[in-house]
Amino acid sequence: MTDEPLPERVIARLRPHARVLVRPAVFVVLVAAAGGFGFGVFQAGLAWLNVVVLVVVAVLVLFGGLVPLLRWSSRRYVVTTRRLVVVHGLGTRTRQELLHSRGYDVTVRRRGLQGLFRSGDVLVFPGDDPALVLVDVPHADLVVAVLHDLVETYEARRRHREPDWDDIVGGR
């Protein structure tokens, strides 16, 4: 192996599992159906109620459908050959990076239906720093295996470049 760094390549781009969008999608369909029914019920004498129904439906669709979609799409995880990047936040974006060369422990935590969908929370423990949580990642076991392989690869490259302790003490 050479000492020159390898170019960084993206291995995976991930988002939390999309099943969290099922409930908001069903909610939006039901609210739209109820709003359509309510909009057509009132007579011309009560036309102002049609405006009220329209406003209520718009507010419910906004907070019950659009906000969960934006929250889901604002969180993403990128695994490259050199680091793990976690980006989240709507108004204020937070970006956390963790280099594979630092080494870390990785664990999977499954709650509720996550086991059925093969997803889970991937907890990354980078030594003394607080744990980095990849929330509800699809194929969590595969993500953990890839992260383990990347850390092992960096550890092997580091050991290959650095002299062994026995070589230093033995004077070789």
Side-chain angles (χ1 to χ4, degrees), residues 84-152:
L84 169 65
V85 181
V86 177
V87 180
H88 60 87
L90 284 173
T92 304
R93 289 240 192 260
T94 303
R95 178 183 173 110
Q96 296 173 290
E97 295 186 8
L98 183 61
L99 295 172
H100 302 310
S101 59
R102 283 186 58 193
Y104 47 79
D105 294 328
V106 184
T107 306
V108 175
R109 177 179 62 198
R110 288 199 166 94
R111 297 174 280 136
L113 294 175
Q114 288 180 336
L116 183 65
F117 291 100
R118 295 186 191 168
S119 65
D121 298 338
V122 176
L123 287 83
V124 181
F125 299 99
D128 294 335
D129 297 335
L132 189 66
V133 181
L134 283 62
V135 179
D136 201 19
V137 177
H139 304 288
D141 292 331
L142 181 60
V143 172
V144 168
V146 167
L147 291 175
H148 279 299
D149 287 346
L150 289 167
V151 170
E152 287 175 7

Side-chain angles (χ1 to χ4, degrees), residues 14-133:
L14 304 165
R15 290 194 187 277
H17 201 282
R19 79 171 173 282
V20 297
L21 297 176
V22 171
R23 186 178 297 155
V26 169
F27 179 76
V28 166
V29 169
L30 292 176
V31 166
F37 176 76
F39 192 76
V41 166
F42 300 110
Q43 305 292 332
L46 300 174
W48 64 273
L49 283 176
N50 285 336
V51 174
V52 171
V53 168
L54 186 63
V55 168
V56 168
V57 166
V59 167
L60 288 175
V61 165
L62 176 71
F63 288 110
L66 189 60
V67 169
L69 175 66
L70 290 175
R71 189 177 306 130
W72 174 82
S73 66
S74 70
R75 182 175 293 273
R76 71 174 190 259
Y77 316 112
V78 180
V79 180
T80 69
T81 53
R82 295 183 60 205
R83 59 191 163 174
L84 169 65
V85 181
V86 177
V87 180
H88 60 87
L90 284 173
T92 304
R93 289 240 192 260
T94 303
R95 178 183 173 110
Q96 296 173 290
E97 295 186 8
L98 183 61
L99 295 172
H100 302 310
S101 59
R102 283 186 58 193
Y104 47 79
D105 294 328
V106 184
T107 306
V108 175
R109 177 179 62 198
R110 288 199 166 94
R111 297 174 280 136
L113 294 175
Q114 288 180 336
L116 183 65
F117 291 100
R118 295 186 191 168
S119 65
D121 298 338
V122 176
L123 287 83
V124 181
F125 299 99
D128 294 335
D129 297 335
L132 189 66
V133 181

